[in-house]
Structure formats: structure tokens, C-alpha cells
Amino acid sequence: ASIQSGFILMLARFAVRFCSTMTKTIENTVSSSKADAALHRVQDGRVGDDKGENQQKVRVKTNRYAMLLGYQGKNYFGMQIQRGTGADECPTIESHILDAMLDLGWITPELHQTPFDFFFQRASRTDKAVSAVRQMISCQMPIALDLPTHGAEFINSKLPDDIRVFGFRRVTKNFHAQKNCDGRTYSYTLPTYAFAKPTELTNSSFRIPSRL
């Protein structure tokens, strides 16, 4: 009886060891398979979570565009958007452009906060109350928007009357409105009565004589 009990005990211990060994082997195999899968994703350019593998990603085709615009600047605090200040307190040309793009659904709220992410760039900056007859903006936008055909019409419907977009043109993928600018022309205008003598009438009726 004691021999039989010892044999049964030995079989039980062997069974426990065998199951433990098989479990570790299976775990190592699964772990290795997951590691190989992750490595294949890196090699294939698919770095990400496995959960999204069965979900087909929608890729939006985009192009780089040049936006030509002009504006009367007396109601604005310059061209470039000013972070950290309220848009109502310090409105700028860019703040209105980005707001219009957001209202039209051309950009997401995230892109509205980080316009550099869609390569939004101006050719030059203008100061407070300074106007521009021609100003250029470059940006990366979806092809489906058909900006060269209807872009100016749509965005002008969302802009103030003193900011007008004249049109969009497709440009090369590396076009940068600031870096690829060939030149900038500035014109300084002041009223003629600025040249009047202190003793002369200084209002809008003043005219400079043909010969001083």
C-alpha cells in the first residue's frame, strides 16, 4: 500500500511539473509572436496599437496652396495672430482668416490653435493699423475643397468687408510664403498738412504749394 501511494505521489508531482513547463512554453510563444508582430509593424511603417488594425484609416489628400488677399488694417492689431490675447480685444488679420476656415470646416479646432501644423505662413507681417494691397499666405489644404474654383467666394462670406481674399492657386509642395517671397514693397502715406508750418492752418483743407 505504501509503495502504491508513493507511486501515485510521484505521478502527481510529474504532472504538476509537466503542466508548469507547458504553460511557460505557451506564454513564451505568445510573447514572441506579439514581439514579432510589433517588429513587422515597425518594418512596414505601421507603428501603432493593435486595436486599430482592423479599422481602415481614411487618408485625406492635400495640396499646398497660395492665398492672395488684401485688407484695410486700421481696425486690426497687425497681420499675425497674437496668442495670449483675446481675439475680441486684439483682432488681427490672421485671427479672422483662421476663424473663417474653422467656420467653413476647412480646419479642425486643433489646427485652429496650431496653424503651423497645416503649414500656415504669411509672406510678411504688418503692424497695427497698416493695410496691404497684396498679401500672400501659404497653407496645406484638402484637395476636395476645390479652393482655386470656389475658395475665395466661400471664405469671403465669413470675413469682414475690410478683409478680402482674391483667390487661391495650387503651388509646389515645398512652397513657403515667407521664404519664397521675391520682394516686398512698402508705401508710407501721410496727410499733406503734416508739412504745414506751425502758423498755418493744419486740417484736411491744407495743400502743399507747387513750389516751396
Side-chain angles (χ1 to χ4, degrees), residues 17-135:
R17 290 180 180 177
F18 178 78
C19 292
S20 177
T21 302
M22 291 299 297
T23 301
K24 290 182 180 180
T25 301
I26 293 173
E27 289 177 351
N28 291 336
T29 302
V30 172
S31 177
S32 178
S33 298
K34 289 183 178 180
D36 290 342
L39 179 60
H40 290 318
R41 283 202 310 277
V42 173
Q43 292 173 344
D44 295 340
R46 296 182 294 109
V47 180
D49 193 353
D50 293 334
K51 296 180 181 178
E53 288 187 350
N54 296 327
Q55 298 178 359
Q56 188 171 1
K57 295 182 179 179
V58 178
R59 293 184 178 272
V60 178
K61 293 184 178 180
T62 61
N63 275 332
R64 189 72 59 91
Y65 291 96
M67 178 200 308
L68 183 65
L69 70 152
Y71 50 85
Q72 186 176 10
K74 70 176 184 178
N75 295 322
Y76 304 101
F77 287 75
M79 172 67 184
Q80 191 172 13
I81 193 169
Q82 299 183 19
R83 296 297 182 188
T85 59
D88 296 334
E89 299 175 1
C90 299
T92 65
I93 308 302
E94 284 186 2
S95 65
H96 282 286
I97 294 291
L98 292 172
D99 287 347
M101 288 181 166
L102 181 63
D103 289 343
L104 290 167
W106 292 0
I107 59 175
T108 64
E110 291 76 19
L111 291 176
H112 181 270
Q113 295 299 314
T114 56
F116 289 141
D117 287 347
F118 67 102
F119 303 98
F120 185 91
Q121 185 62 254
R122 87 290 305 164
S124 62
R125 293 178 291 181
T126 50
D127 294 331
K128 178 182 177 182
V130 176
S131 303
V133 177
R134 291 290 187 271
Q135 170 71 282

Side-chain angles (χ1 to χ4, degrees), residues 190-203:
L190 72 162
T192 58
Y193 59 76
F195 297 97
K197 296 178 181 179
T199 58
E200 293 181 307
L201 183 65
T202 54
N203 57 33

